[in-house]
Amino acid sequence: MHKSIIVGILLAGASLPVAASAQSNVEGRVGKLESEMRAVQRKVFPGGAGQLLQPEVTGPQTTAGPGPGTPATSAVADLAQRVTSLEQQIASMTGQVEQTEYKIRQLQEQFDAYRRATDDRMKLIEAARTNSAPGAAGSAVEGTGGPDEDAGPPARPLGATAAARPANAVEKPSTGNPAEDEYLYGYRLWAAKNYSEAQTQLKKVVATYPKDRRASYAQNLLGRAYLDEGKPSLASMAFYDNYKKMPDGERASESLYYLGQSLTKLNKSADACKVYDELNDVYGAKLSRDMTAKVAAGRAAAKCK
């Protein structure tokens, strides 16, 4: 209201110098408001490439002609209308920013609560497994050689259950290479179907020797331990981390394949197909004949196009 009164006074009785000064002041306000609106727009629309939404300002529609001594088009009146329009747009955008920030805070709080609850459940499960009585002993433990996943025991169906050998019956290797020994012990625990113990050991390998070649093996085998234990959701996260954090690792491509398998088990076939596409795009020329056949079978199971 006060802006229209000021503009009326300027138009009614101000001399030419006063009108010019008022116009200059209003133009200064317009420039300032436009700068503020650009700043707000960059926060609301970060992908807008600096584009500014122009105010929708239209001149007043009147039927009567201009009064005596009044210009047909008043520059000050036009600028005043721009000021009003810009102020309205800035107020609207500021409200959008506040609403968006509030929603982001809510989402972050929900995610943090979910993560804490999941971590607590996993700790309870691992503690229960550690404290429970060991299962029936299996056959003799493999020797102290240097196997990897490809040279391990015969493949079994994903998620298959079998009696686990006690962790204390699994021999700890001693090759003189700490990283190799730690990985081989985790591998032997996995081969003995002591999945919980294997997961703890393999996490230790990745954390302790992140630059060693066996880190990629350990992270991939961690996912397989989750998958064999019937936990495809945790397995998918382990496989994705291996590909994301160690894309040049020796088991990165295999992790993508098993990520597709995990997503299929989670009834996310469309996502599994995208993973298989990524696998072929990134590692297609380097895949072994056996892995190529596995990927083709995985795509068929997921009904990929």
Side-chain angles (χ1 to χ4, degrees):
M1 180 66 71
H2 66 280
K3 295 187 183 68
S4 60
I5 294 175
I6 294 174
V7 172
I9 294 174
L10 288 172
L11 294 177
S15 62
L16 182 59
V18 174
S21 175
Q23 179 172 340
S24 176
N25 290 337
V26 175
E27 288 176 343
R29 292 173 61 198
V30 169
K32 180 180 179 182
L33 285 170
E34 287 179 336
S35 297
E36 292 176 355
M37 190 171 73
R38 289 191 185 96
V40 174
Q41 284 187 324
R42 283 194 295 270
K43 190 171 184 180
V44 177
F45 309 111
Q51 190 175 15
L52 175 64
L53 299 180
Q54 297 298 331
E56 297 179 359
V57 179
T58 57
Q61 297 180 355
T62 58
T63 55
T70 303
T73 300
S74 172
V76 175
D78 290 342
L79 289 174
Q81 288 178 327
R82 290 175 62 195
V83 168
T84 301
S85 178
L86 288 169
E87 288 175 338
Q88 292 172 347
Q89 290 194 39
I90 289 175
S92 175
M93 290 179 181
T94 301
Q96 293 180 43
V97 171
E98 293 174 349
Q99 292 177 6
T100 300
E101 290 178 343
Y102 174 72
K103 290 179 180 178
I104 291 174
R105 286 196 300 270
Q106 282 187 317
L107 290 173
Q108 184 64 48
E109 290 172 358
Q110 293 172 3
F111 175 76
D112 290 342
Y114 169 78
R115 183 175 59 185
R116 288 193 297 269
T118 301
D119 290 344
D120 290 342
R121 285 197 297 270
M122 291 306 302
K123 289 177 181 178
L124 288 174
I125 291 172
E126 291 184 0
R129 285 184 171 275
T130 301
N131 296 329
S132 63
S139 58
V141 181
E142 64 186 21
T144 58
D148 59 26
E149 297 159 49
D150 293 335
R156 56 183 176 275
L158 296 176
T161 58
R165 281 179 280 178
N168 57 10
V170 177
E171 183 179 358
K172 294 185 177 181
S174 179
T175 66
N177 182 334
E180 187 76 6
D181 289 344
E182 294 291 347
Y183 166 72
L184 291 178
Y185 182 52
Y187 170 84
R188 292 178 181 181
L189 288 168
W190 169 77
K193 304 176 183 61
N194 291 311
Y195 299 128
S196 179
E197 292 83 357
Q199 291 155 14
T200 300
Q201 178 65 20
L202 294 167
K203 289 177 184 177
K204 176 183 175 183
V205 174
V206 176
T208 308
Y209 307 101
K211 302 300 182 181
D212 192 90
R213 62 183 289 264
R214 285 304 192 184
S216 178
Y217 283 80
Q219 184 68 28
N220 182 68
L221 193 56
L222 173 63
R224 293 187 63 178
Y226 282 130
L227 200 57
D228 289 344
E229 197 179 17
K231 298 177 179 178
S233 181
L234 291 175
S236 65
M237 290 187 284
F239 291 131
Y240 177 72
D241 281 347
N242 196 32
Y243 170 63
K244 180 181 179 181
K245 297 177 181 178
M246 294 176 278
D248 297 324
E250 296 178 39
R251 284 295 180 268
S253 59
E254 186 167 317
S255 284
L256 270 185
Y257 164 72
Y258 280 110
L259 174 57
Q261 297 283 292
S262 302
L263 292 170
T264 300
K265 282 187 169 292
L266 291 167
N267 297 319
K268 296 183 178 181
S269 297
D271 291 334
C273 293
K274 293 178 182 178
V275 169
Y276 291 135
D277 290 340
E278 178 83 359
L279 175 58
N280 284 327
D281 290 343
V282 178
Y283 303 107
K286 301 178 182 179
L287 295 180
S288 65
R289 182 178 301 178
D290 179 63
M291 180 56 69
T292 300
K294 287 182 178 179
V295 172
R299 291 180 64 86
K303 298 180 180 180
C304 302
K305 296 180 180 179

